[in-house]
């Protein structure tokens, strides 16, 4: 499904500020994989997300989606395969447009945008049906401006917009980190439900160790631009936070340094 | 009374003539969030193309179409400079405006061209009636366009670029389309203005961006902009209100006709500052009131639990 071959990325190459963001990354995702990604500050988690989605281009290496090389494609061109939810609840929706208009834009993900109306009666019914899956009453507020919604509601809408067209790959970039605990729990359980129901191939960055262990069928840990630990489904079943931390210390020789880490 | 009617009629006519310009400025300034100064150049481009085509015997409607096309091209150039050339938006508009000044002189062949006595679109119908029909038609077309898939992407480009890009729209393309359409409308406005004044002048575009902005801001402040339908209507009415205010101000004896642009600038400044100050004062008042309320609650019931707590 997703193949990342030998990807490296340097920031500020050749200057005193040179920083290795990613070095020799190999990652292969099977269809239906739900991989959680953890790692210390500056480990390269966000860079990896940005390389997959095409926001930044790697210095070396290949990115393949469904057997097709996408290295030369811009972010907007890759969107036909990739749905993405950002950390900032404000980032995934257009605040001055209505809920139904936001959904209409997501509905055309990766397709040509022409002169047919974005919101039609048929589509509105579809949007209502999809919104009711969230269970937070948004289906009755189709014409409300998204800017009027709370952070949690906006993030739930972002999640729906990223997934309801069934993208081949779903990227979740710490998408619960900016929410209060109750809202974060809601989004986490919605994520679990949607990914399971639609069988989406998912890559989720998180700072929440407990969440990283509980969700998904595979866990990878990154440090200094490399994947240092790759835990498969079997071993993940009886993984604990303590064991994960001690494995990290053994491999990297340092303590996990993440100022935002949540142990759960 | 008669005087007021006369002022009113003249203002409505002028307001409608410049309403297309205001709609154009609304597209860039409000929808795309792109401060486009091309307008000062493309307005003249529109009147120049229309005047020259009319002088050469083309039908006045064809001349309007030519002006619209000229504006589209000018806007597309600004859009290209900004998106592909990565030039700051404000600067791309200024560069294009300066370039257009020379281009407009080339089109005109002299600083001004008279079309007095030639066939014009207003020959058989009063300017107010015709402009009312045209402005309403363009308003409805624009409303419809902004509800299409492409129109939604255009609006999202100004609202949340990162998001619409992650949904697969090329924001460079939507920006170019928006700026282009905006300047097409501005140039069309210039074509109609040239036909009512019976001449085209190389300097006629100076200050047009501010007039457009004044219409947008006044319209939104008075009539609201909750939906696209409301906003475009507000912009058109704002264009008319602006003309009424200016006409009324110029009737004050101390002012001279040459003070027009100063008055316009002052109107825009007031329209920009007033809503901000008003909402700040309102916010402060509300905060004071709420604090006092909460404070008195505490004083009257010092040991009661906050509402919503456990029983």
């Amino acid at each position: 499904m997703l193949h990342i071959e030998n990807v490296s990325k340097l920031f500020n190459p050749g200057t005193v500020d040179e920083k290795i963001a990613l070095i020799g990354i190999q990652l292969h995702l099977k269809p239906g994989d739900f991989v959680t990604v953890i790692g210390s500050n500056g480990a390269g988690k966000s860079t990896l997300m940005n390389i997959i989605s095409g926001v930044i281009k790697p210095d070396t290496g290949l990115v393949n989606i469904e057997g097709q090389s996408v290295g030369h494609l811009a972010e907007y061109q890759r969107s036909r395969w990739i749905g993405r939810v950002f950390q900032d609840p404000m980032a995934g929706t257009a605040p001055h447009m209505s809920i139904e208009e936001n959904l209409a834009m997501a509905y055309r993900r990766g397709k040509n945008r022409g002169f047919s109306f974005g919101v039609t009666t048929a589509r509105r019914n579809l949007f209502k049906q999809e919104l009711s899956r969230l269970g937070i009453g948004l289906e009755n507020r189709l014409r409300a401006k998204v800017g009027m919604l709370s952070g949690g509601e906006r993030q739930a809408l972002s999640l729906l917009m990223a997934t309801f067209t069934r993208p081949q790959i779903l990227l979740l970039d710490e998408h619960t980190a900016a929410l209060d605990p109750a809202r974060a729990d809601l989004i986490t359980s919605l994520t679990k439900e949607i990914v399971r129901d639609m069988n989406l191939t998912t890559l989720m960055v998180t700072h929440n160790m407990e969440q990283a262990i509980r969700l998904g069928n595979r866990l990878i840990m990154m440090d200094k631009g490399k994947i240092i630990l790759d835990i498969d489904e079997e071993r993940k079943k009886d993984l604990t936070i303590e064991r994960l931390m001690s494995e990290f210390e053994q491999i990297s020789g340092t303590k996990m340094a993440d100022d935002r880490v949540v142990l759960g | 009374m008669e005087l007021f009617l006369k002022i009113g009629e003249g203002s409505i006519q002028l307001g409608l003539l410049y309403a297309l310009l205001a709609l154009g400025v609304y597209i860039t300034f409000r929808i795309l969030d792109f401060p486009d100064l091309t307008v000062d150049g493309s307005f003249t481009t529109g009147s120049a193309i229309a005047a020259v085509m009319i002088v050469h015997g083309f039908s006045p409607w064809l001349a309007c179409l030519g002006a619209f096309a000229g504006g589209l091209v000018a806007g597309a150039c600004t859009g290209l400079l900004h998106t592909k050339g990565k030039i700051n938006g404000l600067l791309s508009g200024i560069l294009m405006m300066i370039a257009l000044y020379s281009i407009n002189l080339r089109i005109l062949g002299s600083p001004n061209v008279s079309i007095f006595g030639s066939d014009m679109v207003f020959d058989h119908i009063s300017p107010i009636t015709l402009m009312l029909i045209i402005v309403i038609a363009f308003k409805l077309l624009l409303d419809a366009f902004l509800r299409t898939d492409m129109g939604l992407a255009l609006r999202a480009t100004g609202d949340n670029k990162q998001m619409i890009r992650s949904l697969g729209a090329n924001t460079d393309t939507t920006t170019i389309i928006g700026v282009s359409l905006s300047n097409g409308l501005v140039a069309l406005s210039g074509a109609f203005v040239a036909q009512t004044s019976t001449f085209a002048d190389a300097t006629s575009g100076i200050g047009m961006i501010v007039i457009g902005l004044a219409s947008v801001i006044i319209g939104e402040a008075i009539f609201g902009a909750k939906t696209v339908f409301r906003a475009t209507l507000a912009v058109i009415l704002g264009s008319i209100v602006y003309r009424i205010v200016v006409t009324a101000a110029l009737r004050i004896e101390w002012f001279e006709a040459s003070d027009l642009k100063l008055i316009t600038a002052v109107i825009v400044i007031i329209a920009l500052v007033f809503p901000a100050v008003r909402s700040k004062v309102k916010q402060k008042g509300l905060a004071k009131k709420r604090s006092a309320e909460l404070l008195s609650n505490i004083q009257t019931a010092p040991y009661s639990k906050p509402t919503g707590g456990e029983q």
Side-chain angles (χ1 to χ4, degrees), chain B residues 14-25 38-52 54 60 63-72 104 108 113 115 120-122 131 134-135 138 181-206 208 211 243:
Chain B
L14 275 173
L16 287 171
L17 277 166
Y18 287 89
L20 293 176
L21 164 103
L23 284 175
V25 172
T38 318
V39 171
D40 278 21
S42 58
F43 182 84
T44 315
T45 306
S47 53
I49 290 176
V52 169
I54 286 171
C64 288
L65 200 66
F68 184 65
L72 289 179
N104 293 337
L108 285 167
V113 167
I115 48 174
M120 277 176 274
V121 291
F122 304 115
M131 284 317 295
I134 289 171
V135 167
F138 270 95
L181 185 63
S182 159
N183 283 287
L185 289 175
V186 169
L188 190 57
S189 181
F192 287 123
V193 170
Q195 291 180 62
T196 47
S197 58
T198 68
F199 69 92
D201 187 293
T203 60
S204 64
I206 295 173
M208 282 305 142
I211 291 176
R243 288 294 160 180

Side-chain angles (χ1 to χ4, degrees), chain B residues 203-221:
Chain B
T203 60
S204 64
I206 295 173
M208 282 305 142
I209 180 67
V210 187
I211 291 176
L213 274 181
S215 310
V216 171
I217 295 165
I218 292 172
E220 288 185 341

Side-chain angles (χ1 to χ4, degrees), chain A residues 32-236:
Chain A
D33 263 355
F34 185 171
V35 181
T36 54
V37 184
I38 52 174
S40 42
N41 289 332
K45 306 179 299 277
S46 295
T47 310
L48 181 63
M49 290 295 207
N50 284 333
I51 288 218
I52 296 170
S53 60
V55 176
I56 49 182
K57 300 270 164 77
D59 299 334
T60 66
L62 294 170
V63 179
N64 273 301
I65 299 175
E66 286 201 315
Q68 190 180 338
S69 169
V70 297
H72 58 289
L73 297 178
E75 181 189 5
Y76 75 90
Q77 291 165 315
R78 292 189 201 184
S79 70
R80 47 185 271 229
W81 297 288
I82 299 173
R84 190 172 187 190
V85 185
F86 303 92
Q87 177 180 355
D88 179 2
M90 309 297 143
T93 45
H96 294 101
M97 298 171 73
S98 65
I99 292 177
E100 61 183 14
E101 285 170 337
N102 271 275
L103 281 163
M105 292 188 281
Y107 185 74
R108 298 299 295 172
R109 165 192 301 286
K111 297 193 187 119
N112 282 332
R113 290 164 201 268
F115 293 105
S116 53
F117 283 122
V119 181
T120 59
T121 317
R123 284 195 200 170
R124 190 174 283 133
N125 288 333
L126 173 77
F127 297 160
K128 260 194 179 157
Q129 200 184 324
E130 292 289 339
L131 282 167
S132 61
R133 294 162 60 97
L134 298 176
I136 50 176
L138 291 184
E139 63 275 18
N140 304 318
R141 298 167 68 188
L142 279 177
R143 283 165 200 246
K145 292 265 157 69
V146 170
M148 306 296 284
L149 305 183
S150 71
E153 287 169 333
R154 277 183 80 162
Q155 201 65 328
L157 180 62
S158 304
L159 183 65
L160 186 67
M161 284 168 61
T163 53
F164 84 123
T165 53
R166 290 176 187 266
Q168 272 76 7
I169 293 163
L170 174 63
L171 300 179
L172 304 170
D173 198 351
E174 295 179 42
H175 69 308
T176 62
L179 305 172
D180 65 66
R183 291 290 163 191
D185 282 349
L186 171 74
I187 299 297
T188 305
S189 62
L190 281 172
T191 305
K192 207 171 149 186
E193 218 171 279
I194 288 173
V195 169
R196 189 193 56 215
D197 291 355
M198 296 193 166
N199 197 26
L200 298 171
T201 310
T202 305
L203 201 59
M204 178 174 90
V205 172
T206 178
H207 281 274
N208 186 325
M209 293 286 161
E210 192 267 331
Q211 192 184 47
I213 291 170
R214 188 161 46 88
L215 290 179
N217 64 347
R218 187 175 161 194
L219 183 151
I220 61 175
M221 186 179 259
M222 295 182 69
D223 189 49
K224 300 193 185 77
K226 286 188 234 150
I227 295 175
I228 57 164
L229 197 59
D230 192 336
I231 297 170
D232 61 22
E233 196 159 13
E234 275 310 303
R235 281 168 59 211
K236 192 166 174 290

Side-chain angles (χ1 to χ4, degrees), chain B residues 143-155:
Chain B
D143 290 348
F145 170 66
L146 291 173
R147 282 168 46 220
T148 63
D149 284 323
M150 194 194 283
L152 290 178
L154 193 95
R155 285 162 63 197

